[in-house]
Amino acid sequence: MNKKGMILRTPLIVRFCHWCMVCLFILTALSGLSLFFPSIKLFGLFLGTPQLVRTLHPILGCIVFVLLMFMFLKLVHHNIPNKQDMVWIKNFKSVIMGKEEGIPIGKYNVGQKFLFWCIMGLIFVLFVTGLIMWRQYISDYFPVQTVRIAILFHSLAAISLILLAIGHAYMAIWVKGSIKGMITGYVSRAWARKNHSAWYEQEMEKVYQAELKAKTESDQPTTNTKHDIKNDIEHKTI
């Protein structure tokens, strides 16, 4: 891929974590639905027999939680609300119509930040309630009433997270270039300028500073050159 005129948006480690998490989340969601709705047990066949599904589902859930926590640490500083977000909210209609240009948007807009915090909150609820209801190891340590409440909240959080994931996938398809950016890690400067103008300006400032530094270093005489100039001056003086 020709990276000239492109901007790195997502580092390799984050992309790898993201796609691993997506694959595992799909398996976890399908197996969970097969356990919650026995009539669609066909969903669980991806993992094997019903007994195997019951064993693997919580393990896969824990792995998804760990991957999302890693992504949380990597991306949380980009998802802190700021004053620019109010401009995005006030111009929400223009954004929906694809007229983002001129609106200062950081690396992630308000909608993406909202999605980020919802996903992180829901996965935390799923993890805690999942541990409480993990019959094979932990549920015996809790009263039956507590386990039942955990099952209720686990189910509600799971359905909510599945719906958010579907919405996230739809938005990625809707905004042309987003999926390619998550696969290759790079987006075009035109895409960045249109969809995330404030972040684009920050990245261009980094590019400018890097080019300026490289030019300055190339213009400076090397140590050997300085030594030769000094010798030449001394020779002429003699």
Side-chain angles (χ1 to χ4, degrees):
M1 182 186 70
N2 184 9
K3 296 179 182 178
K4 187 176 181 180
M6 306 291 283
I7 300 176
L8 177 63
R9 181 164 175 80
T10 310
L12 177 61
I13 184 64
V14 176
R15 299 199 312 272
F16 178 77
C17 179
H18 173 270
W19 290 114
C20 286
M21 185 271 300
V22 167
C23 295
L24 292 175
F25 175 76
I26 291 174
L27 291 175
T28 307
L30 291 177
S31 60
L33 288 172
S34 71
L35 293 172
F36 193 78
F37 300 105
S39 59
I40 53 174
K41 61 181 180 180
L42 181 66
F43 285 1
L45 294 180
F46 289 99
L47 295 178
T49 63
Q51 293 78 11
L52 187 59
V53 169
R54 190 174 295 277
T55 300
L56 291 179
H57 175 77
I59 296 174
L60 291 174
C62 289
I63 297 174
V64 170
F65 175 78
V66 171
L67 292 175
L68 276 173
M69 287 302 100
F70 174 80
M71 293 188 69
F72 176 85
L73 295 176
K74 287 290 184 179
L75 303 177
V76 63
H77 61 288
H78 292 300
N79 286 278
I80 302 298
N82 54 51
K83 294 180 179 179
Q84 288 183 341
D85 293 335
M86 292 304 300
V87 180
W88 189 92
I89 294 173
K90 291 178 180 178
N91 293 274
F92 178 73
K93 185 176 180 180
S94 298
V95 173
I96 292 298
M97 296 175 66
K99 300 177 180 179
E100 300 95 336
E101 292 189 58
I103 302 174
I105 303 174
K107 188 167 185 179
Y108 300 109
N109 60 40
V110 178
Q112 291 169 318
K113 290 180 180 180
F114 176 77
L115 182 68
F116 174 86
W117 288 107
C118 284
I119 289 175
M120 295 304 168
L122 288 172
I123 196 63
F124 181 77
V125 173
L126 284 168
F127 179 71
V128 173
T129 56
L131 288 179
I132 293 174
M133 56 189 282
W134 198 345
R135 183 173 301 175
Q136 188 175 0
Y137 300 107
I138 301 175
S139 65
D140 290 341
Y141 294 99
F142 293 92
V144 174
Q145 192 64 28
T146 301
V147 175
R148 288 175 178 173
I149 294 174
I151 292 173
L152 172 63
F153 281 98
H154 190 84
S155 303
L156 293 174
I159 296 298
S160 299
L161 187 55
I162 290 172
L163 293 176
L164 282 178
I166 293 172
H168 174 59
Y170 173 78
M171 293 302 295
I173 295 171
W174 184 47
V175 180
K176 187 178 179 180
S178 297
I179 294 179
K180 183 180 179 181
M182 183 52 75
I183 294 174
T184 65
Y186 288 84
V187 294
S188 67
R189 293 184 181 183
W191 185 95
R193 184 170 60 250
K194 179 181 184 300
N195 295 286
H196 301 273
S197 57
W199 174 68
Y200 167 78
E201 292 175 2
Q202 294 172 2
E203 293 301 308
M204 286 298 97
E205 180 64 23
K206 294 178 183 178
V207 171
Y208 171 75
Q209 293 295 338
E211 291 177 349
L212 184 63
K213 182 179 179 181
K215 186 177 184 302
T216 303
E217 291 176 351
S218 65
D219 290 343
Q220 289 179 348
T222 61
T223 304
N224 292 335
T225 304
K226 289 180 179 180
H227 182 70
D228 293 341
I229 293 173
K230 181 179 180 181
N231 289 340
D232 185 54
I233 293 172
E234 290 176 351
H235 178 71
K236 288 181 179 179
T237 303
I238 295 172

